[in-house]
Amino acid sequence: MTISLDDPKRLVGLRDQAHQVAMNMLRPISRTYDRAEHDYPQELDLLAAMIDGLSASGASNGAGAAGVKRDDREDDGRVRNGANLASVLGIAEMCWGDVGLLLSLPRQGLGNSAIASVGTPEQQERFGHLWASMAITEPDTGSDSARIRTTAVRDGEEYVLNGEKIFVTAGERSEAVVVWATLDKELGRPAIKSFVVPKGTPGLTVERLERKLGIKASDTATIRLENCRVPADNLLGSAEIDHGQGFAGAMATFDNTRPLVAAMAVGCAKAALDLTRDLLARAGVSVDYDRPAVGQSAAAAKLLQMEADWEAARLLMLQAAWLADNRRPNATEASMAKAKAGRMASDVTLSCVELCGSVGYGEGELLEKWARDSKILDIFEGTQQIQQLIIARRVLGLSSAELR
Ligand SMILES: Cc1cc2nc3c(=O)[nH]c(=O)nc-3n(C[C@H](O)[C@H](O)[C@H](O)COP(=O)(O)OP(=O)(O)OC[C@H]3O[C@@H](n4cnc5c(N)ncnc54)[C@H](O)[C@@H]3O)c2cc1C
């Protein structure tokens, strides 16, 4: 089989469309909402309406997280470039515009990915139109999500949720929150399920917003659940506690969201590389792509090394999405893509600041902002260290109890 390293032809139109939107709609307001943390970027309502229109007409899968869905078609052995590839390509372009604004796009939340990947067709129909955030992290539980303490207790035809969730992206602006909670703390991982809690449900309160280093356009909220009742069929997927399955149900979400975060990192790093290349050219530094880096100026060699690192991350991102499109297991590749791209984006954006000196550090350009924005991409949806742990477990065939 030949491997094509180009973006699939079928998706080039979508990718270019997302790039235009990023350039003409996100970039112009990028600095404004970096400074006005917690102000709602109203310009995004128009953009969301456009994306809804394109999705309804079948012209696009959407440019954000909601685009990732499992393909329900029978496996006919044909190779496909589908919704997952479209999503990572679209997201990378949008994040070339602005990561924080992409995370604030109505109806494109990480909770939408959870609904798309774990929800039944009926649940996708019922909740798919809502803007959903995702609430896993708690004050005592970040990386080790198996230690979640938020409880879900069955009471007749309802579940009663109690607990506190922190650092919920789009937690204030979203229309529903996908809450991870345990049906029984004693039963560990298999008892953890996700529940769709629409905003306005009594017992759910948004308590406060965080001030942050980067992605300031994105709201990050603390959410309290106090005797919060939801219909029993708001539990996403199966209510059965399957001991053989471990974390599998809820974890399937990560197989879809980690390539998306990798895409955010690829897009943000590309923005920094493109601008740095321009700034270096203006300063008289030329980069020769036909000669070895060692024979060129230090600045050119550094740029070439960063571009190679970026390309490696991009290929891992495409692989993880492609596997999902073709109904093949992608958990290891999703973690690899996230680990590589998260670290690459942090390194590249900061190195671009360094290469461009005072121009890189000042607010006249967006390089310093991208260095701040990129850091979160190596933290949320599983930190760098956690991705490496997951990859090591899978490569070595060890369980989470055997390798901590
Ligand atoms: C801006 C922002 C947005 C976020 N959005 C969301 C969201 O939408 N939904 C949500 O649920 N959460 C969200 N989070 C939370 C995020 O997912 C967690 O911060 C992350 O999982 C890490 O958890 P922690 O902060 O508790 O760090 P900890 O788990 O306490 O980890 C601290 C450090 O120790 C390392 N570490 C931990 N365990 C190990 C180990 N076994 N081996 C080696 N190193 C280890 C970590 O890698 C990290 O470097 C967000 C966070 C931020 C900052």
Side-chain angles (χ1 to χ4, degrees), residues 45-123:
D45 287 341
L46 175 64
L47 183 52
M50 276 169 54
I51 292 171
D52 285 349
L54 287 170
S55 299
S57 72
S60 152
N61 287 305
V68 174
K69 290 187 177 62
R70 283 183 178 165
D71 194 332
D72 290 330
R73 282 172 296 189
E74 287 291 308
D75 185 359
D76 54 11
R78 276 177 42 222
V79 171
R80 313 202 138 76
N81 297 319
N84 292 276
L85 261 182
S87 288
V88 293
L89 290 174
I91 285 178
E93 291 304 330
M94 295 289 275
C95 290
W96 181 90
D98 192 291
V99 177
L101 291 170
L102 179 277
L103 287 167
S104 302
L105 258 186
R107 292 178 290 290
Q108 310 285 327
L110 290 171
N112 291 98
S113 274
I115 294 167
S117 43
V118 190
T120 61
E122 183 276 325
Q123 288 171 328

Side-chain angles (χ1 to χ4, degrees), residues 134-137 142-143 167-169 212 215 220 376 379-381 383 385-386 389 404:
M134 175 111 129
I136 306 168
T137 308
S143 297
F167 286 107
V168 183
T169 297
K212 310 184 294 291
I215 58 160
T220 309
I376 190 58
I379 297 177
F380 68 9
E381 297 295 298
T383 63
Q385 292 76 10
I386 294 303
L389 195 57
R404 293 169 186 274

